[in-house]
Amino acid sequence: MKWNGVMPAVTTKFTQKDDLDLEMFTINIKAQVDAGVHAIILGGTLGEASTLDDDEKKILIEHTVNQVEGRIPVVINIAEQTTKNAIKSAENAERYGATGIMMLPPMRYKSTDNETLAYFKAVAKSTSLPIMIYNNPVDYKIEVSLNMFEELLKHENIKAVKDSTRDITNITRIRNRFGNRLKILCGVDTLAMESLLMGADGWVAGLVCAFPKETVTIFELIKAGRVEEAVDIYRWFMPLLELDISPQLVQNIKLAEVATGIGTENVRLPRLPLQGKERDRVLSIIENGMKTRPKLPTL
């Protein structure tokens, strides 16, 4: 598990009867792998994690592991309310064949710094899987500070951070403090290119679910020093990427997946498909993106 490159936080596909839609899920994962993504992340915010039961997570992990056949790692997100359940989720992830874990602080309860540290440490001690800490104080109201990371990095299997602080300067602070000990992945689509140029190792991406080739091409161009070519694609992509920074990001991105033929609009209650003027607005952005979709350069 190298913790670099493009890692799609894939959506969970559902049928109209609210069962897992493994047929469409398989189509999407194939599109991601064919485009050259570097790992698959299951059960994140985009994956409607809070609505999935343990059996469904088991099915998703095992199905994805079987489909990718060892070509790329499979990561599962842990977003639990109790330390006990987080430890159980980590044990299950290892049992079902996951390669790594992405992990949020405790859900619902706004834990103190000491409580947050104790939570992460308990899970790290319980598993041999490598862990990426998901640091998203904007949406989840708990920030993992650099001093907290200093303490967490005493655990060898805490390897990376998904940085969703929306502060580009944080990348430099992390690199200055920890060197390459802590891998950095941008967690905000609209800051991805800027983050990569400042030294981030990878991109946990959202709109990649609908546009895998474009996302991977931007990453590879930046790493090859072909920045102007990457900028051209990124500017085209930005209106679509902004669909990721919305409370309705799941519905937005699933609509985009429909447009590119690798997903459906079905979401799980209490979410509902977009309606009215907001639906029209999002569809207009997607339709314009499809009409102006750029020809990608050879890598």
Side-chain angles (χ1 to χ4, degrees), residues 3 14-15 27 34 55 66 84 102 133 141-143 145 178 197 199 203 225-226 247 256 278 282 289 294:
W3 300 108
F14 299 108
T15 68
I27 290 171
D34 288 349
D55 287 340
N66 287 336
K84 179 181 179 180
M102 182 171 77
I133 303 296
K141 312 309 177 188
I142 296 172
E143 181 166 7
S145 68
F178 305 116
L197 288 171
W203 176 4
R226 296 163 61 180
E278 180 60 11
V282 171

Side-chain angles (χ1 to χ4, degrees), residues 6 43 48 96 132 142 172 218 230 279:
V6 174
E48 297 175 71
Y96 304 150
M132 174 168 63
I142 296 172
T172 301
I218 289 170
R279 180 183 177 85

Side-chain angles (χ1 to χ4, degrees), residues 238-277:
M238 185 56 67
L240 291 159
L241 296 177
E242 287 176 335
L243 298 177
D244 182 58
I245 50 172
S246 161
Q248 284 71 48
L249 76 166
V250 175
Q251 292 95 323
N252 293 346
I253 290 173
K254 284 193 169 185
L255 269 180
E257 289 179 322
V258 172
T260 56
I262 54 175
T264 70
E265 195 180 349
N266 300 328
V267 290
R268 175 165 279 177
L269 295 171
R271 285 184 176 86
L272 292 170
L274 296 180
Q275 301 174 29
K277 291 182 179 179

